[in-house]
Amino acid sequence: MLVYKVENQLQSAETIINNVLNNPSLLKKLEGSKFDFKQFVYGKELLDKVLMLQAKQELASEEHKEFSQTLDIDRKQTYQVYVKHKKIALLALRDKPDLSQSLKLNGDKTYTVDGWLEQAYVFYKNVKYISKDMEAERVDKAELIQVKVMIEALLDAKNTKLRLRKSAQEATILRDKALNQLQQWLYKFQTIAQISLQNDLPTLAALGMELES
């Protein structure tokens, strides 16, 4: 479980690692501990890996978020058009109850995304059977075909959204796994540093650390 924000953890690790690698005197003061130059190079490799995976995770999450927001807008707009066409169709086909039934015009109202999309798909898929009746109500066939294309695109977009969500989840898992390795390295170093440098507060400060009480 991640207690602190990922960004804060990465900033803390980056400060400590860079301060040590860029300051030979700090390395010298740590000679008595188990953390030598090679250990900090290893820590830097862990940090760079997490930063890379963090960037990928942010990109995947943002892509999923933006796609979902656009999809929601398109759904709402298409749903409004479908409801309008459905009302007109009920009027146009009032003397053709069997056709209305086959187009799912008389069924229960379905407000879920999957429900109304499936109903709308059945309706627009059979547009050739109702185009003349709809034209009598001033809805031309071209308009119906255009909405049919929109419905098909929304159905395809459902799969795309699932794929993007899965990619974002997988990116998060990889980031968290690498972050956990970095956290373990950092915790071990901080524990040793606070013990070995407990009487050297300036060095702890230079490392970007404070002595825990």
Side-chain angles (χ1 to χ4, degrees), residues 9-201:
Q9 296 179 69
L10 293 179
Q11 184 177 7
S12 177
E14 190 169 16
T15 297
I16 291 174
I17 292 171
N18 288 337
N19 283 356
V20 172
L21 290 178
N22 295 326
N23 191 336
S25 64
L26 289 178
L27 270 174
K28 187 172 182 61
K29 289 188 176 184
L30 291 169
E31 284 181 349
S33 70
K34 296 179 180 180
F35 281 79
D36 55 12
F37 179 77
K38 290 183 178 180
Q39 273 292 325
F40 279 97
V41 169
Y42 173 66
K44 184 67 165 58
E45 290 174 352
L46 290 177
L47 174 62
D48 289 344
K49 181 179 180 179
V50 177
L51 289 172
M52 180 267 292
L53 292 174
Q54 170 71 357
K56 289 185 176 181
Q57 189 274 339
E58 289 177 349
L59 180 62
S61 296
E62 186 62 26
E63 187 177 6
H64 175 253
K65 179 182 177 181
E66 290 181 357
F67 186 86
S68 297
Q69 291 174 338
T70 301
L71 181 57
D72 287 342
I73 293 173
D74 291 343
R75 279 175 176 165
K76 290 177 182 178
Q77 293 176 343
T78 306
Y79 178 71
Q80 292 173 353
V81 176
Y82 167 58
V83 170
K84 182 186 75 171
H85 284 168
K86 185 177 179 180
K87 290 178 179 178
I88 295 173
L90 283 168
L91 177 63
L93 303 174
R94 57 188 176 277
D95 297 327
K96 300 178 180 180
D98 290 341
L99 184 53
S100 293
Q101 184 65 32
S102 66
L103 295 175
K104 296 188 177 183
L105 297 178
N106 300 315
D108 294 334
K109 293 182 178 179
T110 305
Y111 296 103
T112 64
V113 173
D114 289 339
W116 79 259
L117 269 177
E118 290 173 2
Q119 288 185 354
Y121 178 73
V122 172
F123 177 76
Y124 291 104
K125 183 179 69 172
N126 295 287
V127 66
K128 61 183 178 181
Y129 300 114
I130 62 171
S131 58
K132 290 185 178 180
D133 296 293
M134 294 294 282
E135 285 175 353
E137 300 296 333
R138 298 182 180 180
V139 179
D140 60 38
K141 185 176 181 179
E143 180 180 339
L144 295 172
I145 292 176
Q146 182 180 9
V147 181
K148 175 177 178 288
V149 172
M150 293 166 62
I151 293 294
E152 291 172 344
L154 286 176
L155 289 171
D156 289 340
K158 282 176 54 183
N159 295 326
T160 301
K161 181 180 178 180
L162 289 174
R163 177 179 58 79
L164 292 176
R165 182 173 67 183
K166 182 178 180 181
S167 295
Q169 291 172 338
E170 290 176 346
T172 300
I173 291 172
L174 289 174
R175 188 278 314 274
D176 287 351
K177 182 178 179 180
L179 179 60
N180 184 56
Q181 291 179 308
L182 178 63
Q183 287 173 321
Q184 291 180 16
W185 181 93
L186 186 62
Y187 176 76
K188 184 177 179 181
F189 166 72
Q190 288 176 321
T191 300
I192 291 176
Q194 286 176 348
I195 294 174
S196 61
L197 300 172
Q198 58 183 317
N199 297 320
D200 191 349
L201 298 183

